[in-house]
Amino acid sequence: MPDPTPDPFTEIAPGVLVATAVLYTTTSTVVVGPGGGCLVVDPAVTVAEVAEMAAALAERGLRAAAGWSTHPHWDHLLWHAGLGDAPRYATATCVATAAKWRGDLIASLSEAPGHDLALFGAVAALDGTSVPWDGPAAELIAHDGHAPGHGALFLPENGVLITGDMCSDIEMPLLDRDAADPVGDYRTGLSRLAAVADDVRFVVPGHGHVGDGPELRRRIAADLAYLDALESGEPADDPRITGWLVAEHERQLAHVRGMAG
């Protein structure tokens, strides 16, 4: 008999599975619903990894009933034929931005080549405040921090907050430098996430590691402290500023100083 498909998932709460990719420590979340249907959030990153997730779900007797993309960056707009043709959603702003940026997004796929372009970014605008599926409620928390139309999901039944590229333990806030008020947009996003913090048992960032409720509050405080230092021009005492993020921090600092000048 062939070896079973490796299962990349860890169950962090009842019916909530998280897989972590090697590339960029990218997380993907699956919420299990009735009858084997599931909500698949940000499946990433390489073709092999997404195919492995699809196969692992099938071995668990699960199938994608809906998909969600948290924001319009290439590594959050992926899909695989093995996941089927479930409807996929994002915020209206995310959908419009992904369409506008499509050429650049496709170029960025060179970081994980081989994805089916017909499936890439094929998301529809969410009409409402929660993902339309028959599983546990997945409530939208929309803002423009990090990217236009960023859409976190809060699962009140499980106490899980899927933040997209916010509240990471390995990345400081990464701003949308094309926005009119990138720091203000990021602060708004953090404020909206903080509004549900008392009900959060687990936080799943788009890049990094799952944390508990107190860790979510610690990360929000660390992100706000980073933004304070960025705006004041003072040195940022943030241990997440390492590797490629050192240059990114310098670019953000120069951008914020330029806006202030």
Side-chain angles (χ1 to χ4, degrees):
M1 294 179 61
D3 292 335
T5 301
D7 193 327
F9 293 107
T10 299
E11 188 169 27
I12 65 166
V16 182
L17 313 174
V18 174
T20 304
V22 174
L23 192 61
Y24 314 131
T25 319
T26 303
T27 61
S28 303
T29 305
V30 171
V31 186
V32 179
C38 56
L39 169 63
V40 180
V41 183
D42 287 350
V45 176
T46 67
V47 173
E49 285 169 334
V50 185
E52 181 182 85
M53 283 193 288
L57 291 177
E59 289 204 1
R60 285 174 175 258
L62 302 175
R63 55 177 175 75
W68 180 257
S69 290
T70 56
H71 62 286
H73 288 161
W74 72 268
D75 51 327
H76 298 266
L77 293 165
L78 303 172
W79 200 253
H80 189 276
L83 291 169
D85 58 358
R88 299 159 55 193
Y89 302 98
T91 68
T93 300
C94 175
V95 172
T97 303
K100 179 181 177 181
W101 291 352
R102 186 165 177 81
D104 290 338
L105 292 171
I106 289 174
S108 296
L109 284 174
S110 61
E111 298 182 46
H115 283 285
D116 186 341
L117 295 186
L119 299 176
F120 177 61
V123 288
L126 175 66
D127 181 14
T129 58
S130 61
V131 178
W133 78 305
D134 61 357
E139 300 174 352
L140 171 63
I141 302 176
H143 57 83
D144 292 321
H146 180 68
H150 206 298
L153 293 180
F154 177 52
L155 313 175
E157 293 182 26
N158 310 85
V160 174
L161 179 62
I162 305 167
T163 58
D165 283 6
M166 307 274 287
C167 302
S168 172
D169 61 325
I170 63 171
E171 295 180 351
M172 78 286 183
L174 295 171
L175 308 180
D176 175 14
R177 294 197 299 273
D178 292 328
D181 183 9
V183 175
D185 288 344
Y186 210 99
R187 288 188 186 277
T188 296
L190 290 174
S191 175
R192 292 178 183 174
L193 296 174
V196 301
D198 288 346
D199 298 315
V200 172
R201 294 175 54 225
F202 297 100
V203 57
V204 185
H207 303 279
H209 304 93
V210 174
D212 60 13
E215 174 64 8
L216 169 63
R217 290 187 282 273
R218 190 200 69 77
R219 292 181 191 181
I220 291 174
D223 286 351
L224 290 171
Y226 174 82
L227 296 177
D228 288 344
L230 201 64
E231 289 190 303
S232 68
E234 298 176 358
D237 183 19
D238 193 315
R240 297 172 294 182
I241 305 174
T242 62
W244 68 274
L245 292 166
V246 173
E248 188 62 26
H249 167 65
E250 292 299 326
R251 282 190 286 268
Q252 294 191 149
L253 183 59
H255 185 78
V256 171
R257 284 174 174 167
M259 293 184 70

